[in-house]
Amino acid sequence: MIRFFTFILLSLMIINPGAAWSQERGKVRVQQRAIGGGERPGPTVSSGEILDYREEMRKFVQSISEFSRKLRPDFAIIARGGLELLVKRDEDNETKTYPARTYIQSIVGILVEGLNFGVPKIGMPPPDADKQKIKEKLVKQAKDAGLKVLVLDYAKKKSLIDEAYKRNKAKGYISFTAPVRIPDIASLPEYPKHPQDENAASVLSLRDVRNFLVIGNSAAFGRQDEFTLKMKESNYDAIIVNVFHGGLPLGKRAVETLKYKGTGGKRMVLAFMDIGTAASYRFYWKKNWREGSPLWISAPVRGDPDKFSVEYWNPEWRRIITGNYDSYIYGIINQGFDGVVLGD
């Protein structure tokens, strides 16, 4: 009997920011707190109600989607990881699951890292066969539910890159392989030189995307105009970038330039958006904020002392992210992006 899927929210979440699997069977560690396995409940709010971490994240994503689509009906919401959010468990029999339909309808795709190679070690296949089977099953369920599946593998050898593309294409997934992790992706791929299934036609929605590119560090290209012009040399159907180029957001003109391939056809430009961590270098950060102040700011993220896990169910944090014209998501839409890839 599977008490808990061993693959949950990948390393970030879309969803349960800050979540990672404990080595203890049947437990999930959320913001340094072990929960699950029937031993320790989720957090309580002032009313004494025990929170369901997964359901709270589903509601959060759904609220982002609802607000975005009011402003722009074709705005794409993509979940980075968070595969277990796609299913709910029967309260009386936890071995039975059913689709989380409202959540599924709030997103159009998922980004899965290391399905074939690169997690946890670049160029290596997943080490745990049982976890891998569960992960592959959940990815297939996502595709069967009508979601676009984007797979980002990590490998350097040409033979592994070819194998990753081959496997993903056979399953109907859209593939990209990078030699380094997302924050360090700062150039166009050396291999292959051209996108798989290169497509000269304009792409106006995620369902038409045949290939995609990830750039985690656009500042490495120089000025915004230098970056966007370099991207115009490529013919990827979709580009996923950070909202910020160095310390400043990409301007509307830069985003608009990114929307054109070298062939002249249009493509989608998507932005990474953190919803499970707060960063001290982001526009919303106040001078007096620190760990524990406000109370919903938790411990720093390991390896990045300028980012902090947050209690993503907190109304104050959610107002920063969505629901009004001062929110993070509104700014992204206003910049001209075609969608977001939500993560931590």
Side-chain angles (χ1 to χ4, degrees):
M1 180 179 68
I2 299 175
R3 291 186 60 82
F4 282 87
F5 288 108
T6 46
F7 177 76
I8 173 178
L9 316 182
L10 294 176
S11 60
L12 17 118
M13 18 168 212
I14 179 161
I15 273 182
N16 206 340
W21 272 94
S22 166
Q23 296 300 313
E24 301 172 71
R25 180 175 176 82
K27 290 185 181 179
V28 173
R29 186 164 299 280
V30 181
Q31 297 176 356
Q32 312 309 314
R33 298 187 295 273
I35 64 169
E39 296 182 19
R40 298 181 69 177
T44 59
V45 291
S46 57
S47 64
E49 178 186 0
I50 296 176
L51 294 180
D52 180 333
Y53 284 111
R54 300 186 186 101
E55 186 61 23
E56 287 301 316
M57 184 52 79
R58 290 189 192 99
K59 290 178 181 178
F60 193 12
V61 175
Q62 288 161 200
S63 68
I64 294 170
S65 177
E66 182 180 3
F67 179 73
S68 301
R69 290 172 178 174
K70 286 180 180 178
L71 298 172
R72 199 177 142 184
D74 62 346
F75 194 75
I77 304 292
I78 299 167
R80 180 180 171 187
L83 296 177
E84 201 191 44
L85 297 182
L86 300 169
V87 296
K88 293 186 177 183
R89 289 182 179 79
D90 189 290
E91 292 183 359
D92 298 321
N93 185 348
E94 63 182 16
T95 65
K96 293 183 179 180
T97 63
Y98 55 93
R101 292 184 178 85
T102 303
Y103 171 73
I104 291 171
Q105 291 171 1
S106 72
I107 61 178
V108 296
I110 57 171
L111 174 66
V112 183
E113 294 178 68
L115 184 62
N116 304 286
F117 302 106
V119 174
K121 191 173 181 179
I122 290 177
M124 297 296 292
D128 190 313
D130 291 335
K131 288 183 180 181
Q132 183 64 12
K133 287 180 181 178
I134 295 168
K135 184 174 181 178
E136 290 178 352
K137 179 180 179 180
L138 290 170
V139 175
K140 184 179 184 300
Q141 287 178 341
K143 183 177 183 296
D144 291 344
L147 298 177
K148 195 80 167 184
V149 176
L150 308 180
V151 178
L152 172 58
D153 286 304
Y154 298 105
K156 298 178 180 179
K157 292 182 179 180
K158 292 182 179 180
S159 60
L160 296 180
I161 294 172
D162 290 339
E163 182 65 21
Y165 280 112
K166 178 182 176 181
R167 291 183 190 180
N168 290 324
K169 186 173 183 178
K171 296 175 181 177
Y173 306 154
I174 309 304
S175 185
F176 180 68
T177 303
V180 293
R181 305 295 181 197
I182 289 174
D184 299 319
I185 303 176
S187 64
L188 290 166
E190 293 183 6
Y191 180 84
K193 286 292 185 182
H194 300 283
Q196 185 183 53
D197 295 330
E198 193 170 12
N199 171 31
S202 290
V203 172
L204 303 179
S205 70
L206 195 65
R207 65 175 174 270
D208 299 323
V209 168
R210 301 181 188 178
N211 49 68
F212 73 100
L213 170 70
V214 173
I215 297 293
N217 178 16
S218 61
F221 290 86
R223 301 186 308 268
Q224 290 195 23
D225 61 326
E226 292 175 317
F227 166 58
T228 57
L229 290 174
K230 184 65 176 178
M231 292 302 101
K232 279 196 70 175
E233 297 177 8
S234 71
N235 292 319
Y236 289 92
D237 287 348
I239 295 182
I240 308 175
V241 299
N242 279 315
V243 176
F244 295 89
H245 178 89
L248 298 174
L250 283 170
K252 289 184 178 182
R253 184 174 181 178
V255 175
E256 185 62 25
T257 303
L258 287 173
K259 291 185 178 184
Y260 289 90
K261 309 177 191 179
T263 59
K266 295 200 71 173
R267 64 174 158 219
M268 297 188 73
V269 181
L270 309 169
F272 285 112
M273 180 182 177
D274 299 342
I275 64 171
T277 57
S280 60
Y281 47 82
R282 292 302 185 218
F283 69 95
Y284 50 73
W285 190 269
K286 295 180 173 54
K287 290 183 178 180
N288 62 332
W289 284 8
R290 61 187 184 279
E291 180 182 351
S293 179
L295 291 175
W296 46 266
I297 296 180
S298 301
V301 173
R302 183 177 299 176
D304 190 346
D306 295 320
K307 292 182 74 173
F308 298 79
S309 296
V310 296
E311 295 180 349
Y312 53 81
W313 52 88
N314 184 279
E316 185 177 349
W317 172 245
R318 292 192 177 187
R319 284 193 294 271
I320 291 171
I321 296 298
T322 190
N324 61 78
Y325 294 108
D326 294 320
S327 63
Y328 199 171
I329 191 67
Y330 177 78
I332 290 175
I333 295 172
N334 192 47
Q335 282 171 255
F337 286 97
D338 298 308
V340 287
V341 178
L342 300 175
D344 71 345

